Amino acid sequence: LRVAQMDDIGSYSNPIAIGALGALGPVAKEALPELEKLLKAAQPWNRDFFYSAISKIGGEDAFRILVNGLLNKEVDTTTKTFIILYLNDVGVKAEQIINILKRMVKEDSREIRIAAYVALSSDGFFKYPGIDQIVFGGLDDPDSLVKYNVINFLGSKGKKAAFALPKLRQIVADPKT
């Protein structure tokens, strides 16, 4: 599959064509450099299609592109929250993704912190040592919406999150939370 042949299915700015590249998965790996280049010029409302396709193509290069998007101050918060959720699809070692998510729970944006806690609370990551404590740390977040979401995530874990009961009782008893 050559990148030059991609023009046959439409413009790279066309979300359908971008989605088709993602649907091809790893066989479209050759398209990653061109997608990365075009992503920089993409309109903000199209970036999500690029990041989704890039994550489905997967691999180390795709992971690098996604991380660069997360760290790029010019990428909007909504797109960054989608990038966080796409990290699960990229197919790299969980430890690499977890390290990025640990950084994201410290971001200024509540939406980014919530997305990072969502990702860390997924069954794919929650099983790793120490992740439960990172998610538990979200109960101390100063933003009540982040705290609310973390409570829901922990509640969805059932007995696996029993360690959080004392802190949850404390939150319930505090009228300021």
Side-chain angles (χ1 to χ4, degrees), residues 43-126:
Q43 296 296 328
W45 56 85
N46 274 347
R47 289 184 186 142
D48 178 42
F49 293 104
F50 280 93
Y51 286 116
S52 175
I54 288 165
S55 71
K56 291 174 183 169
I57 293 169
E60 294 291 332
D61 288 335
F63 180 68
R64 178 189 49 75
I65 295 167
L66 292 174
V67 170
N68 287 344
L70 281 175
L71 301 178
N72 184 339
K73 297 207 182 293
E74 293 178 19
V75 174
D76 64 281
T77 300
T78 302
T79 301
K80 286 183 179 186
T81 60
F82 283 117
I83 293 171
I84 289 170
L85 300 176
Y86 296 148
L87 286 172
N88 280 335
D89 297 333
V90 80
V92 297
K93 293 180 182 169
E95 291 80 9
Q96 292 175 278
I97 298 170
I98 289 168
N99 287 332
I100 294 298
L101 294 174
K102 285 179 184 178
R103 287 175 64 180
M104 295 297 108
V105 298
K106 297 174 185 170
E107 283 289 312
D108 289 338
S109 164
R110 92 159 54 150
E111 291 81 6
I112 291 174
R113 292 194 315 274
I114 290 170
Y117 284 123
V118 166
L120 287 168
S121 298
S122 72
D123 289 336
F125 294 128
F126 199 75

Side-chain angles (χ1 to χ4, degrees), residues 146-164:
V146 174
K147 197 179 296 191
Y148 169 81
N149 279 280
V150 170
I151 289 168
N152 280 331
F153 306 146
L154 289 169
S156 72
K157 297 301 166 195
K159 292 179 183 179
K160 294 178 192 174
F163 65 89

Side-chain angles (χ1 to χ4, degrees), residues 31-47:
L32 283 174
E34 186 69 15
L35 285 172
E36 182 178 22
K37 185 172 82 176
L38 293 166
L39 174 62
K40 292 175 184 173
Q43 296 296 328
W45 56 85
N46 274 347
R47 289 184 186 142

